[in-house]
């Protein structure tokens, strides 16, 4: 049953992630398209004065004429398409994935005893409360006098997210801190749709149906929050993908610096395209150079903080983690197998061509081996995915030893 449960966790993760990525593609595509559409609107001679502009587009062999009203049409059409479920399902599936991977398997991915010895329920509570508080603080900032000064609001909001990423490193593993930073920004995006954009659109529709003119401030507020979402999108994507790349979270001390670089790079790329669509003659090509410098800076931050690369850069070794006295340990026969077949990659200073331990999983001490027992079960016992292509030649007898140890681990856990 333990093996079936492990397979269930992996399949559940794959299915939820599939839904999450699909929904995110739809939402991000809609966001990019409508920002492009707004920028491509042009005033035509003799056009309806109530129109903000018209955009002619061609796609799939067809021609499209798209008009945007400065405020709203005189009357609503019979059919009106609402763009909301792409956002909602992206967040619903993302939160489900967060619960499934990080809260359901918190001892493996979220809790690092060397950072803070949390119970699973405590880690989950901190994460969920932080997401809720993050939205409240951001919304209050937008509603404050800062909301009248977009550049200043952007700087303050930027600083708040970076500060929060540092706070997360005080509670969670590096991987958990980085994914929660991305989840915080994603929550702000969907909450913008749910609490601001959609209610304002409903107010406008209700006003039109009552024969009244919608309030222009509803349109302006919704457009502002939609623009925030557009600029946040690329940094959120990177932070969500970062869990697959341990060089971004191997050393939690540089996570805030990496978050700074990624937000700057992602926002500048979107800035370039948003201005480019307004008119190619005034495209801010400098944005690509600054974005590239930000990515290079992120590379060097992570490299200098990497236990494996620091010696190559002439830096001193990082302090060695001291195991807790009560930390469980793997038995000697298991340690011998893992040290021989796995540790060349899963160590603080792995082989040169590895760079960082895959997925940030360290198997260099008896305590680490015991901590990552579920990962060993899935990768080395149930699927034989590790070692990759069995390059270290782990034998079937050795896998059987690991299987017997894991069976005892599961029985003791119950």
């Amino acid at each position: 049953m333990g093996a079936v449960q492990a397979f269930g966790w992996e399949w559940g993760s794959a299915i939820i992630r599939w839904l999450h990525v699909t929904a995110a593609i739809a939402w991000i595509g809609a966001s990019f398209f409508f920002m492009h559409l707004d920028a491509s609107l042009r005033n035509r001679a003799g056009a309806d004065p109530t129109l903000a502009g018209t955009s002619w587009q061609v796609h799939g062999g067809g021609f499209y004429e798209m008009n945007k009203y400065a405020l709203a049409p005189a009357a609503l059409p019979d059919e009106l398409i609402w763009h909301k479920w792409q956002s909602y399902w992206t967040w619903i599936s993302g939160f489900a994935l967060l619960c499934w991977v990080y809260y359901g398997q918190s001892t493996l991915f979220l809790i690092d005893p060397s950072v803070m010895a949390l119970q699973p329920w405590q880690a989950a509570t901190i994460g969920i409360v932080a997401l809720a508080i993050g939205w409240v603080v951001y919304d209050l900032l937008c509603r404050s006098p800062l909301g009248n000064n977009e550049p200043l609001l952007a700087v303050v909001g930027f600083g708040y997210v970076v500060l929060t990423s540092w706070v997360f490193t005080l509670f969670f593993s590096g991987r958990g801190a980085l994914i929660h930073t991305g989840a915080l920004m994603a929550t702000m995006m969907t909450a913008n749709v749910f609490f601001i954009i959609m209610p304002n659109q409903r107010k406008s529709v209700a006003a039109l149906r009552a024969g009244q003119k919608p309030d222009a401030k509803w349109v302006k507020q919704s457009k502002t929050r939609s623009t925030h979402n557009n600029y946040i999108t690329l940094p959120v994507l990177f932070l969500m993908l970062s869990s697959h790349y341990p060089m971004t979270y191997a050393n939690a001390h540089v996570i805030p610096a990496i978050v700074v670089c990624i937000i700057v790079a992602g926002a500048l790329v979107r800035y370039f395209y948003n201005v480019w669509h307004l008119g190619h003659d005034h495209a801010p090509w400098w944005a690509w150079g600054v974005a590239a410098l930000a990515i290079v800076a992120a590379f060097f931050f992570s490299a200098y903080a990497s236990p494996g690369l620091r010696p190559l850069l002439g830096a001193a070794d990082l302090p060695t983690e001291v195991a807790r006295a009560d930390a469980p340990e793997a038995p000697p026969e298991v340690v011998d197998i893992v040290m021989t077949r796995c540790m060349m990659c899963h160590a603080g200073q792995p082989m040169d061509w590895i760079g960082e331990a895959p997925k940030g999983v360290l198997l260099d001490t008896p305590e680490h081996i015991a901590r990552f027992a579920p990962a060993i079960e899935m990768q080395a016992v149930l699927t034989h995915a590790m070692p990759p292509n069995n390059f270290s030649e782990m034998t079937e007898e050795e896998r059987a030893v690991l299987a017997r140890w894991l069976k005892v681990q599961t029985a003791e856990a119950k």
Side-chain angles (χ1 to χ4, degrees), residues 337 341 379-387 389-390 392-404:
I337 294 171
R341 309 300 183 186
Q379 301 294 334
V381 176
L382 298 179
T383 65
H384 293 198
M386 290 291 167
N389 293 327
N390 201 23
S392 63
E393 300 180 351
M394 181 181 286
T395 67
E396 291 302 316
E397 290 75 15
E398 289 172 331
R399 295 186 195 273
V401 171
L402 296 179
R404 287 193 293 271

Side-chain angles (χ1 to χ4, degrees), residues 42-388:
R42 299 293 183 268
N43 291 316
R44 310 294 179 183
D48 184 343
T50 63
L51 294 179
T54 301
S55 175
W56 279 89
Q57 303 200 19
V58 59
H59 179 74
F63 294 89
Y64 300 81
E65 181 185 12
M66 301 180 181
N67 299 319
K68 179 181 179 180
Y69 287 87
L71 185 57
L76 284 175
D78 293 333
E79 296 180 357
L80 184 63
I81 297 174
W82 294 72
H83 290 269
K84 57 181 179 179
W85 285 109
Q86 304 101 313
S87 170
Y88 295 169
W89 274 110
T90 299
W91 190 87
I92 291 170
S93 58
F95 184 69
L97 193 61
L98 186 69
C99 292
W100 189 270
V101 175
Y102 288 89
Y103 300 155
Q105 304 172 78
S106 57
T107 56
L108 188 58
F109 298 117
L110 183 60
I111 299 172
D112 185 343
S114 66
V115 176
M116 185 172 289
L118 297 169
Q119 294 297 317
W121 69 268
Q122 293 173 322
T125 300
I126 291 170
I128 293 171
V129 170
L131 298 185
I133 292 176
W135 155 251
V136 171
V137 172
Y138 160 75
D139 187 52
L140 290 174
L141 289 174
C142 291
R143 295 176 186 272
S144 73
L146 281 175
N148 299 320
N149 187 330
E150 277 295 316
L152 184 57
L153 175 63
V155 171
V156 174
F158 169 71
Y160 171 66
V161 171
V162 174
L163 175 63
T164 305
S165 72
W166 171 74
V167 172
F168 281 138
T169 66
L170 304 180
F171 293 92
F172 300 143
S173 66
R175 181 174 177 174
L178 209 52
I179 201 71
H180 274 81
T181 304
L184 171 67
M185 298 172 72
T187 298
M188 293 174 181
M189 293 172 66
T190 295
N192 274 338
V193 176
F194 187 81
F195 291 112
I196 305 298
I197 298 172
M198 291 310 300
N200 284 348
Q201 289 180 347
R202 293 189 189 99
K203 292 175 185 176
S204 296
V205 169
L208 287 169
R209 287 175 176 167
Q212 301 171 355
K213 185 178 180 180
D215 193 327
K217 72 178 182 181
W218 302 335
V219 177
K220 182 180 182 298
Q221 187 182 49
S222 296
K223 180 59 179 175
T224 297
R225 297 298 183 100
S226 180
T227 302
H228 289 181
N229 285 359
N230 184 262
Y231 279 98
I232 292 174
T233 297
L234 292 183
V236 168
L237 279 175
F238 184 94
L239 294 177
M240 291 306 184
L241 294 172
S242 67
S243 63
H244 301 282
Y245 301 97
M247 74 280 186
T248 60
Y249 58 79
N251 188 330
H253 292 94
V254 298
I255 283 179
I258 290 175
V259 169
V260 167
C261 296
I262 295 306
I263 291 178
V264 168
L268 282 176
V269 170
R270 285 312 307 157
Y271 174 72
F272 170 83
Y273 279 109
N274 291 338
V275 177
W276 165 270
H277 295 316
L278 284 171
H280 295 185
D281 294 340
H282 303 288
W285 291 100
W286 58 266
W288 286 104
V290 179
L293 288 175
I295 295 300
V296 171
F299 170 84
F300 280 105
F301 279 130
S302 64
Y304 193 76
S306 167
L309 287 181
R310 283 178 65 85
L312 300 178
L313 299 174
D317 290 340
L318 294 171
T320 303
E321 175 188 330
V322 178
R324 291 166 45 220
D326 60 344
E329 298 182 4
E333 63 272 18
V334 170
V335 173
D336 288 343
I337 294 171
V338 175
M339 292 284 189
T340 302
R341 309 300 183 186
C342 311
M343 200 190 77
M344 67 282 293
C345 297
H346 292 278
Q349 297 185 23
M351 295 185 297
D352 290 344
W353 59 275
I354 294 294
E356 287 291 345
K359 303 298 183 183
V361 174
L362 296 177
L363 302 175
D364 52 354
T365 67
E367 293 82 7
H368 283 159
I369 294 170
R371 177 186 170 194
F372 288 105
I376 294 173
E377 179 181 32
M378 176 55 62
Q379 301 294 334
V381 176
L382 298 179
T383 65
H384 293 198
M386 290 291 167

